[in-house]
Amino acid sequence: MTKTALICGISGQDGAYLSHLLLDKGYRVVGTSRDARMSRFSNLRKLDLARSVECYSMSPTDFRSVLYTVDKVQPDEIYNFSGQSSLGVSFQMPVETLESHTLSIMNLLEVVRFLKRPARLFNAASGECYGGIRGGALDETDPFHPRSPYAVAKAAAFWQVSTYREAYKLYACSGILFNHESHLRGLNFVTRKITDGVARIHLGGQQQLTLGNIHARRDWGHAEDYVKAMWLMLQQPQPEDYIIASGSTETVRSFTEKAFAAIGLRLCWQGSGVKETGIDQHGVTRVSIDPKYFRLVEVEVLHGNPAKAERELGWRRQHTLASITAEMVAADINALQQQ
Ligand code: F7E
């Protein structure tokens, strides 16, 4: 029998890649956004999926709207990607950030319980919940230490899922997702900002790139790999939480070097702090620092250990950071050439 998946907050990269995976597996895929008539669903379009996915309007923070949608769609699996996802923005919009994450998961959990639906629920949690306090690769036994409104909201949502699983025996689990990227990533995230900037420099439309803390280290994977782990989590006999990460880290500076290398420019670095610059082999300054991109509180290192997901889910990644960078730069050059 055809399974139905409901993807709440389908507009981002995870919604698009997950739709692709589930449609390939023969699922009926229904996606929601706050106003489906006004949404462009550009990521679904980029993967040529817009006609294959049913799109509904749903406000995840409105209980009635969630109840109506879940009751109408009758999903077997629900994937929750709702909520304001930028850490930087979360300092400017703390209430919106907290509400968007905590109310959306609360409503979904309550609706599943209320309707007595046997739907399995995946919640997108974040590696940011750990706050980067302890060095080394973090695993599922490490305590959370959230250090931004975004991380506080994600941690609260994580514990709501855990509580409902224990109290009501719901099949509900969280993937603790570390940074994952692709050419569908928004321009407000650093990798895509870099690859888009590098593409513009390559095509002559821009001279240089301005960044914030280039010494931050992140554990970067590919969204296409990460949605496979989400699906695997909902196919297990028992619901459990898993870290989804690549297991290695790079600095923003090193990612920048790789992106420039993809267009044949070799960067060397001069100066330090806000005076640090990246200069190419022709002596042209390509990267400079602007403190306006610094975070109020910076998580210097985020490093996840995906051993449990690998061991118990049999999860394997197809992409390396080198392949991700090359794909993103090529896609951005291609997109700019089509404009
Ligand atoms: O920043 C530094 C910045 O905005 C990465 C989301 O998916 O992953 C993501 O959150 C690092 C930070 O992602 C710029 O300070 C330097 O250290 O790409 P990002 P994020 O904040 O790590 C987590 C796991 C999530 O859950 C989130 O939803 O890059 N950085 N210069 C910069 N960051 C930005 N955005 N822009 C810069 O110019």
Side-chain angles (χ1 to χ4, degrees), residues 13 84-88 101 125-129 150 154 177-181 185 187-194 210-220 252 290 293-295 297-302:
Q13 58 171 0
Q84 193 293 108
S85 65
S86 160
L87 262 107
H101 289 288
S126 170
E128 280 290 330
C129 294
Y150 171 82
K154 283 288 195 186
L177 309 170
F178 283 66
N179 298 57
H180 49 290
E181 316 297 316
R185 192 60 147 148
L187 288 165
N188 51 330
F189 295 99
V190 77
T191 54
R192 183 75 204 295
K193 175 177 170 179
I194 293 167
T210 311
L211 296 170
N213 176 13
I214 56 173
H215 297 284
R217 296 189 84 88
R218 286 294 179 271
D219 179 324
W220 279 298
V252 172
D290 187 331
Y293 296 114
F294 291 164
R295 301 258 163 95
V297 177
E298 175 67 285
V299 171
E300 289 293 340
V301 184
L302 261 193

Side-chain angles (χ1 to χ4, degrees), residues 5-180:
L6 177 66
I7 304 178
C8 304
I10 200 169
S11 303
Q13 58 171 0
D14 292 359
Y17 278 111
L18 182 64
S19 298
H20 188 266
L21 177 79
L22 297 176
L23 288 165
D24 259 10
K25 291 185 182 297
Y27 280 61
R28 168 185 170 230
V29 178
V30 181
T32 76
S33 76
R34 278 180 184 275
D35 189 345
R37 285 159 311 173
M38 295 301 284
S39 301
R40 292 178 55 239
F41 298 111
S42 51
N43 282 335
L44 288 179
R45 276 180 215 292
K46 283 181 194 157
L47 297 189
D48 200 18
L49 303 173
R51 279 189 300 274
S52 312
V53 174
E54 293 169 44
C55 290
Y56 282 53
S57 295
M58 183 186 92
S59 169
T61 55
D62 181 326
F63 181 79
R64 192 198 169 279
S65 172
V66 177
L67 178 65
Y68 173 82
T69 308
V70 174
D71 194 32
K72 191 169 163 69
V73 172
Q74 297 281 304
D76 300 288
E77 295 174 10
I78 303 174
Y79 296 86
N80 180 37
F81 301 136
S82 311
Q84 193 293 108
S85 65
S86 160
L87 262 107
V89 169
S90 82
F91 285 99
Q92 288 139 27
M93 298 167 62
V95 177
E96 156 73 20
T97 303
L98 189 69
E99 283 185 357
S100 65
H101 289 288
T102 54
L103 294 183
S104 59
I105 193 64
M106 202 66 235
N107 286 336
L108 283 167
L109 289 162
E110 274 296 318
V111 162
V112 170
R113 191 171 82 86
F114 180 76
L115 291 176
K116 300 192 171 43
R117 271 211 61 72
R120 296 184 166 200
L121 175 60
F122 171 86
N123 175 55
S126 170
E128 280 290 330
C129 294
Y130 293 111
I133 296 295
R134 175 172 90 66
L138 297 150
D139 65 33
E140 291 81 356
T141 63
D142 276 293
F144 285 172
H145 188 129
R147 293 168 65 213
S148 63
Y150 171 82
V152 169
K154 283 288 195 186
F158 173 92
W159 287 116
Q160 279 167 343
V161 170
S162 164
T163 301
Y164 271 61
R165 180 171 64 220
E166 190 181 345
Y168 303 113
K169 312 291 176 244
L170 298 188
Y171 194 114
C173 51
S174 294
I176 308 169
L177 309 170
F178 283 66
N179 298 57
H180 49 290

